[in-house]
Amino acid sequence: MARCVHGLEATVAAEILDRGLGSVTRLGHREVHFRTSHTDPRVLTAATVDDVFLLAAQGPDIGPAASGLSVLRDLVHAADIGALLRLRERCGGPGPLTGVEVSASFLGRRSFNRYDAEDTVGLALARRLGTDYHSRRDGVAPPPHYGGWRLTLNGTHATLMLRVAARPLHRRPYKRRSIAGTLHPPVAAAMVRTAEIQPGHSVLDPCCGAGTLLLEAAGQEPEARLRGYDLSQEAVKAARENATGLPVTLGQADAGDLPVEDASVDRVLSNPPWGGQVSAGGLLAGSRSRWWKELRRVLTPGGIAVLLVADPGDITEGIRTGLTPSYVQRVRISGAESFIVRFTVPRRPRHRRA
């Protein structure tokens, strides 16, 4: 089962199918269930997912009452843990479990909280495995080598799963530095897929922040020409550190007056600095429309911009600038609604010969 940002379920399913990782059996709330007849370590390179788990055991949802928590121990007893660990290792995961940590979520109101469910399952797993259990109740992160288990209660089923990787997949190795407003990597990866970048394409992020969009683009299409600018010197410094060893050009510039030639960019990827944790500065602080005009200026005819916007009114602003929205996808990030929007630049009309 792949966990993902709400709104990316269909995108994750498409990546699983495109890469031949398995056949999709069900899409749920932030979940994509898939089945495979062979183990494949490539499952750990799925870019649009937050995490991937192996199904350990499943039973009926225990309902809203805390008295049903004890039933969750039946999932632990039903799991074939030896087979799970062998399968996890063949999929590229770590070796034996040296500890247990559990993350739980449920739909609907309950008379218990997530920590009650986590502790019930975690203590039962620790007893069965003869290892320590780390509770999340006090807010302290578990040791990095502890095996990650996931429990979900969706109103119909109670499902216990084991994480394949040693840590959640959304924690990218390149993420050495982070800054306020840094984009969630799987969301950035989904935006890159939407942009359909080809080898040799010129790709620009005019508000690159810590470089997440460009680095996800480098992972999906390493032969693209990647360039990013940001008004913040701190952001550019973070992006350069994250991009160490990767073919990404970075610099400090105002997104309202980019050092980029007209009609020279094939793809724009960006998370504009409004509606989130970062406020617009420089020339954009006084005129949001200036950003859209710069976007339109630098894109080639037939070029594509994929943007993450929080206000549907931005779609109208893009249309006014001469961009055509061709795809809109609603996502929910940290509880807030946003939209992945793909705009295209109309191609110049062909002139008929006299």
Side-chain angles (χ1 to χ4, degrees):
M1 187 271 285
R3 289 280 295 177
C4 63
V5 166
H6 182 41
L8 291 186
E9 293 89 352
T11 302
V12 169
E15 182 180 9
I16 289 169
L17 295 173
D18 290 347
R19 301 182 61 185
L21 299 178
S23 56
V24 174
T25 58
R26 185 169 69 85
L27 273 63
H29 176 75
R30 299 191 61 196
E31 296 180 353
V32 178
H33 295 252
F34 62 103
R35 187 182 300 276
T36 180
S37 59
H38 61 283
T39 54
D40 193 339
R42 290 184 306 138
V43 73
L44 298 185
T45 63
T48 59
V49 308
D50 278 8
D51 218 344
V52 176
F53 296 87
L54 300 172
L55 176 64
Q58 191 171 67
D61 192 309
I62 62 172
S67 58
L69 285 170
S70 61
V71 178
L72 295 175
R73 300 190 187 101
D74 293 343
L75 297 176
V76 175
H77 299 313
D80 187 341
I81 294 179
L84 279 171
L85 294 180
R86 291 190 294 272
L87 181 58
R88 184 177 73 155
E89 196 165 0
R90 290 200 299 271
C91 287
L97 294 172
T98 56
V100 171
E101 58 102 353
V102 180
S103 177
S105 63
F106 49 78
L107 298 179
R109 293 189 176 185
R110 313 274 174 152
S111 63
F112 54 89
N113 59 38
R114 58 172 290 188
Y115 304 113
D116 297 331
E118 289 170 357
D119 289 349
T120 299
V121 170
L123 289 170
L125 281 166
R127 282 194 295 270
R128 183 171 174 193
L129 292 164
T131 62
D132 292 329
Y133 165 63
H134 178 91
S135 176
R136 293 174 174 268
R137 194 180 290 271
D138 58 4
V140 177
H145 57 278
Y146 274 32
W149 297 79
R150 177 133 192 110
L151 172 71
T152 62
L153 304 170
N154 66 5
T156 303
H157 295 107
T159 305
L160 179 64
M161 296 162 284
L162 173 64
R163 176 181 293 126
V164 176
R167 63 178 189 172
L169 296 185
H170 66 81
R171 296 180 186 171
R172 304 293 206 245
Y174 66 71
K175 209 76 167 179
R176 300 175 183 88
R177 286 277 304 277
S178 185
I179 59 172
T182 294
L183 191 57
H184 189 56
V187 174
M191 293 172 65
V192 172
R193 282 180 61 87
T194 303
E196 300 178 349
I197 300 169
Q198 302 298 316
H201 270 172
S202 172
V203 181
L204 170 69
D205 185 348
C207 309
C208 69
T212 306
L213 275 162
L214 294 170
L215 298 176
E216 291 296 324
Q220 292 188 39
E221 184 42 75
E223 295 184 25
R225 293 175 288 125
L226 307 170
R227 182 172 30 162
Y229 297 102
D230 202 283
L231 185 63
S232 165
Q233 186 176 7
E234 179 190 0
V236 174
K237 185 177 180 181
R240 283 177 174 157
E241 189 170 340
N242 290 335
T244 300
L246 294 173
V248 180
T249 301
L250 297 160
Q252 188 174 6
D254 194 315
D257 185 19
L258 293 164
V260 178
E261 294 181 1
D262 295 356
S264 62
V265 175
D266 299 295
R267 299 289 187 270
V268 168
L269 298 166
S270 194
N271 177 20
W274 42 74
Q277 299 179 41
V278 179
S279 299
L283 295 172
L284 302 188
S287 175
R288 183 182 294 194
S289 63
R290 184 160 188 152
W291 188 84
W292 289 97
K293 291 176 182 177
E294 275 295 272
L295 207 69
R296 179 67 178 84
R297 179 184 69 81
V298 302
L299 277 166
T300 62
I304 291 174
V306 177
L307 313 175
L308 182 69
V309 299
D311 185 354
D314 284 321
I315 301 175
T316 304
E317 190 69 35
I319 294 171
R320 288 181 184 146
T321 314
L323 302 173
T324 302
S326 57
Y327 177 83
V328 179
Q329 182 174 7
R330 188 190 325 225
V331 294
R332 186 166 288 277
I333 306 170
S334 300
E337 185 178 73
S338 295
F339 301 88
I340 296 173
V341 186
R342 180 175 63 206
F343 292 95
T344 58
V345 177
R347 295 186 182 275
R348 295 191 182 104
R350 295 180 179 178
H351 298 288
R352 294 181 179 178
R353 293 182 179 180

